Amino acid sequence: MKFLVFDTILNGHHSDYITCLIEYWCNNTMPGELIVVTPRGLGASLPADYTASTRLTLIELTDQELRQAQQASRISRAFAEWNLFVRYAEKIRPDHAVLMYFDLFQLGVWLGKKSPCPVSGIYFRPSFHYTSPDTAPTSFREKSVILRKKWVLKGVLTSSALTNLFCLDKSSVPAIQAMTNRVRVVPLSDPVKRYDVTAAEVKALRMSLGVEDHRTVFLLFGYLDDRKGIEPMLDAIRCLPEEESARLTLVLAGPITEAYQKTVEDHLSSMNSSAQIVRYFKEIKGTAIQLLFEMSDFVLTLYQKHVGMSSIMVRAALSQKPLISSDFGYMGSLVKAEKLGMTVNSESAESISRALRQALRGEITYSTAAMQKLAEQNTSLTFAQQIFGTITPDKTPSTP
């Protein structure tokens, strides 16, 4: 049997998710061949014994193919990316294919060319099931986006090619399953890999970043852009009394564009605060991620109207670090329900500032048992087993 994994994006979580599937495939006696089609660069990050395996084939999309697909408008891109998938699927003729970022392909799946094979997909951003006062749409634009998402998904679920839809936002599963009797809607764990680190390594990182011993460390991690709530966070720090800001370190860790880095630097230059702001602007992988979370006292997930789950929540739980999180959507409801920290209006500097003061005073309560449970439920092994177990339920190895 042939299984195709297809993704036109390789940055951020994309390479991690695909690597997780490859690791599971290569480390278990899975039937047949796994063919992975991605932009160039994935093979260089994999162990040599994986890339040498006769049971794994890596195919790189060309720069021209990606430009043609991704430079189109949103609607045209859905068809362009789907057509690209269909072209490769017709060459490879897999028994099943997994679209790693299903959201992009929906119109193509529904109204585009016929797929030569059954398809499953990972759906990242459902939001039409948000009905609480904190998350229900209020503006005309928000309401129209919700209606459009629901209308498109209903159409997609009629596609004869689609067999399974995996959802990282587990709360969306009942609402989506109610739309279809044919497609199986499956809750999916976030694939977060734990790395063993020592106290000495954590101390060395703290020293290398120049973090003073008396300071409480707040980590804002990931791809750093205006969605992450950096500017409201800096405004919140500016609101703190001098005595409190002198005990605070903010670590901004992750890749950032030159344009947005300038925005952040301009914001910082206008601040008059004794808080320490550590710029750690680089792509961070593997053990280095674990060290950052272990070094921190609090983890910030101050996304602006974020839809869906975030692996940063799981990373924080893995390191037993409380969150200061946006109160919006699935993330906000999960933090509240599981007592993973504190939620705030992530667009309000005043709201964030109150949370920072509570954190500095040791007044944020959280459940370490709930953190441990969340970490145990979201592992790379569980993620891979859920996907391969759904696609080939009678052939997937059980947990060792």
Side-chain angles (χ1 to χ4, degrees), residues 127-179:
S127 59
F128 46 80
H129 62 298
Y130 291 170
T131 56
S132 72
D134 289 337
T135 58
T138 53
S139 70
F140 174 78
R141 181 182 178 280
E142 288 176 335
K143 290 177 181 178
S144 64
V145 167
I146 296 299
L147 289 172
R148 176 179 56 79
K149 276 190 173 185
K150 192 170 185 178
W151 174 72
V152 170
L153 185 59
K154 278 187 174 180
V156 172
L157 292 170
T158 65
S159 168
S160 59
L162 186 63
T163 58
N164 306 291
L165 193 63
F166 298 100
C167 298
L168 290 155
D169 179 344
K170 298 176 179 64
S171 70
S172 71
V173 171
I176 298 174
Q177 190 65 79
M179 298 180 191

Side-chain angles (χ1 to χ4, degrees), residues 24-50:
Y24 186 84
W25 184 272
C26 292
N27 292 332
N28 292 274
T29 311
M30 298 294 294
E33 180 184 6
L34 182 66
I35 300 130
V36 180
V37 178
T38 66
R40 69 174 67 187
L42 180 65
S45 65
L46 296 174
D49 57 333
Y50 289 179

Side-chain angles (χ1 to χ4, degrees), residues 250-297:
L250 171 64
V251 178
L252 300 173
I256 189 170
T257 65
E258 285 186 17
Y260 193 63
Q261 182 174 346
K262 184 179 185 306
T263 298
V264 172
E265 295 292 352
D266 288 346
H267 217 95
L268 288 169
S269 66
S270 68
M271 290 176 64
N272 182 21
S273 170
S274 52
Q276 180 185 28
I277 312 296
V278 175
R279 291 91 149 167
Y280 197 39
F281 297 150
K282 59 184 288 188
E283 188 169 8
I284 304 160
K285 288 186 171 289
T287 304
I289 298 175
Q290 192 83 33
L291 286 170
L292 272 171
F293 279 78
E294 295 292 335
M295 181 194 76
S296 304
D297 298 293

Side-chain angles (χ1 to χ4, degrees), residues 22 25-26 34 43-44 46-58:
I22 291 172
W25 184 272
C26 292
L34 182 66
L46 296 174
D49 57 333
Y50 289 179
T51 54
S53 172
T54 57
R55 297 172 52 248
L56 172 68
T57 301
L58 301 179

Side-chain angles (χ1 to χ4, degrees), residues 334-346:
L334 191 62
V335 173
K336 292 174 195 171
E338 299 298 327
K339 299 180 174 61
L340 303 175
M342 182 175 182
T343 61
V344 298
N345 177 351
S346 62

Side-chain angles (χ1 to χ4, degrees), residues 317 320 338-340 366-376:
Q320 297 274 287
E338 299 298 327
K339 299 180 174 61
L340 303 175
Y366 54 94
S367 167
T368 55
M371 288 178 174
Q372 184 176 345
K373 180 183 175 184
L374 182 67
E376 290 172 350

Side-chain angles (χ1 to χ4, degrees), residues 159-343:
S159 168
S160 59
L162 186 63
T163 58
N164 306 291
L165 193 63
F166 298 100
C167 298
L168 290 155
D169 179 344
K170 298 176 179 64
S171 70
S172 71
V173 171
I176 298 174
Q177 190 65 79
M179 298 180 191
T180 176
N181 293 319
R182 190 184 56 78
V183 177
R184 181 162 37 169
V185 185
V186 183
L188 184 64
S189 297
D190 228 304
V192 175
K193 186 175 181 180
R194 185 185 185 106
Y195 300 90
D196 292 326
V197 298
T198 66
E201 289 174 313
V202 175
K203 184 178 181 181
L205 175 63
R206 190 176 179 113
M207 290 180 63
S208 71
L209 295 178
V211 179
E212 298 161 334
D213 289 341
H214 70 277
R215 290 185 183 264
T216 299
V217 179
F218 296 81
L219 173 64
L220 202 157
F221 175 84
Y223 187 86
L224 303 176
D225 59 17
D226 58 0
R227 299 173 304 118
K228 287 291 177 71
I230 296 172
E231 292 161 82
M233 174 63 183
L234 295 178
D235 289 337
I237 291 173
R238 195 183 341 221
C239 295
L240 291 175
E242 183 72 11
E243 183 273 329
E244 290 178 327
S245 62
R247 295 190 285 118
L248 180 148
T249 292
L250 171 64
V251 178
L252 300 173
I256 189 170
T257 65
E258 285 186 17
Y260 193 63
Q261 182 174 346
K262 184 179 185 306
T263 298
V264 172
E265 295 292 352
D266 288 346
H267 217 95
L268 288 169
S269 66
S270 68
M271 290 176 64
N272 182 21
S273 170
S274 52
Q276 180 185 28
I277 312 296
V278 175
R279 291 91 149 167
Y280 197 39
F281 297 150
K282 59 184 288 188
E283 188 169 8
I284 304 160
K285 288 186 171 289
T287 304
I289 298 175
Q290 192 83 33
L291 286 170
L292 272 171
F293 279 78
E294 295 292 335
M295 181 194 76
S296 304
D297 298 293
F298 293 88
V299 175
L300 304 168
T301 48
L302 300 173
Y303 295 89
Q304 307 293 287
K305 297 291 185 183
H306 177 75
V307 174
M309 181 59 171
S310 169
S311 61
I312 293 172
M313 297 177 67
V314 183
R315 286 242 164 252
L318 197 61
S319 295
Q320 297 274 287
K321 301 302 165 75
L323 294 163
I324 297 177
S325 171
S326 164
D327 59 9
F328 181 81
Y330 179 59
M331 246 177 27
S333 64
L334 191 62
V335 173
K336 292 174 195 171
E338 299 298 327
K339 299 180 174 61
L340 303 175
M342 182 175 182
T343 61

